[in-house]
Structure formats: C-alpha cells, structure tokens
Amino acid sequence: MKNRRLYKMVLVTSLFLSSWVSQVSSQTPSSPLQGKSLPIFKLPTPQRMEEKEYLGLSQKDSFSVSEIEAEVLIIEIFSFYCPFCQAIAPEVNTLYQIINQFPPYYQRIKIIGIGAGNTLQEVENFKRTHQIPFPLFPDEDFTIHKRLGEVRTPYFFVAKKRGNRTFQILLAHSGDFGVAEQFFQKILNVTKISIRN
C-alpha cells in the first residue's frame, strides 16, 4: 500500500513538472497517438441521469469509450492536484458552453474529462470546485493514462468517429489551449465538421 502511494505521488509530481516545463517553453509536443485510433477503454457509467443522456448511454454499470454517441469526442486529461488544470478550468467550461449553445454542434461534439491518478472523490471535488458541466471520470490506478501515452496534464485529445465506431485522434494538445473560441475553430478545422441543414 505504501509503495503504491509513493508511486502515485512520484508519477503525479512528474506530470506537474512536465506541465511546468511545457508551459514555460510554450511548446506543444505532438502525441505519438495523433492520427491513430483512440485506444478502447472502459469507464464507469455516470450516476447523474443528465450525464448519461449527454453521452447517449444505457443503464449498465460501465461502458466502452466507443459507445459514446458523438461524432467528435474531446478528452481532457487532468488531475485534481494540477495547478494548470485548475487555472484553465474556466476556459474549458467556456469551450463546453460554445458547443452547448448551438444544437447542431451540441448533438455531435461531446467532452469528457479523465482524472489521471484521481479517485472518484477527487474527481467529484474538482467538478464541484470548478463547476465543470461535462462528465469527469476517475483513473485512480493510471490505467487509462498509460494507454493514452502517459501524457502530462492538462492534455487534450480530439477524436472523430469513423464508420466502424472507433475514434481516430486528429488533434493532440498539451497544456493551455488559449482562447476557447480559437481552440473550437481549430477543432472544427481538423475534424472538418460543419453545420448540416
């Protein structure tokens, strides 16, 4: 148990240091996953009915990420303890609101957050403190984080669903994405998603 806690502390600390270096150098290294299929992983089904409806999920206990009813999926990798994640939370909320205010996008673009090394309680605390409007999921043992390349926090993946119901990662962004409106336009450009009549 002590070894596991020590491992968690070391890993979280290294994530923060990597984030700090990224913020200072203003570089956005591309993920080796960019252009590839989003790894398939399972998440616990949200307890909140509005979150189930938002993701288009059934009542079962868990679901595969590929089951999310979306044409485009934005995943934020964050941590409750990451100061940069806390700092950009309002702008991430603004991104959600930009998408949410226009039904053609709201129905096709979804956002979720995954708390690297975070417990359910830590994820809930982050959600409550920063008034996060989209679903957040714990990844206490870093299983999902490892599958996504052990990226620093915060980190954003933008993936588009293909015909076989897998998502292809079209954009990978490390750190602060700047102004939400500009990042949203970048998402529209890389996914080639447009308003349908």
Side-chain angles (χ1 to χ4, degrees):
M1 182 65 76
K2 286 184 179 178
N3 287 340
R4 185 175 176 186
R5 279 188 193 155
L6 180 60
Y7 170 77
K8 181 176 176 180
M9 287 175 61
V10 169
L11 186 52
V12 170
T13 301
S14 68
L15 287 173
F16 296 159
L17 289 174
S18 295
S19 294
W20 181 79
V21 170
S22 176
Q23 295 288 331
V24 170
S25 64
S26 298
Q27 294 178 349
T28 306
S30 175
S31 166
L33 293 175
Q34 188 162 320
K36 298 183 180 178
S37 294
L38 180 70
I40 300 297
F41 51 85
K42 289 207 162 192
L43 295 166
T45 301
Q47 296 298 307
R48 297 176 181 88
M49 183 55 67
E50 64 270 21
E51 292 188 349
K52 288 179 188 167
E53 292 175 355
Y54 172 71
L55 298 176
L57 301 175
S58 64
Q59 297 294 328
K60 58 186 182 179
D61 293 337
S62 64
F63 68 97
S64 168
V65 67
S66 63
E67 295 178 61
I68 294 175
E69 290 296 329
E71 186 175 338
V72 172
L73 179 63
I74 303 167
I75 302 175
E76 178 188 10
I77 308 300
F78 73 97
S79 173
F80 174 78
Y81 301 100
C82 169
F84 302 113
C85 302
Q86 297 168 23
I88 70 167
E91 206 63 31
V92 180
N93 287 347
T94 299
L95 176 63
Y96 172 86
Q97 290 158 6
I98 291 169
I99 296 167
N100 189 44
Q101 70 186 359
F102 198 52
Y105 291 138
Y106 175 74
Q107 295 164 2
R108 299 163 68 194
I109 305 172
K110 305 296 180 181
I111 306 177
I112 64 170
I114 297 174
N118 291 167
T119 64
L120 178 59
Q121 183 178 359
E122 288 166 339
V123 163
E124 288 295 324
N125 286 343
F126 189 89
K127 186 177 182 70
R128 182 172 56 254
T129 301
H130 301 288
Q131 300 180 322
I132 307 298
F134 52 87
L136 301 181
F137 300 92
D139 182 26
E140 186 173 0
D141 59 2
F142 294 98
T143 299
I144 298 170
H145 183 249
K146 288 173 185 173
R147 297 206 64 192
L148 293 175
E150 297 183 293
V151 295
R152 59 196 62 169
T153 58
Y155 203 97
F156 297 87
F157 291 99
V158 178
K160 187 173 183 180
K161 188 167 279 186
R162 299 183 290 198
N164 59 2
R165 295 188 61 83
T166 62
F167 284 98
Q168 180 184 16
I169 298 172
L170 300 180
L171 177 63
H173 183 91
S174 175
D176 188 349
F177 56 63
V179 179
E181 288 84 355
Q182 294 175 359
F183 190 58
F184 179 58
Q185 189 57 55
K186 189 173 185 179
I187 291 169
L188 295 181
N189 290 342
V190 300
T191 59
K192 296 180 171 54
I193 191 170
S194 61
I195 302 172
R196 293 172 180 162
N197 296 327

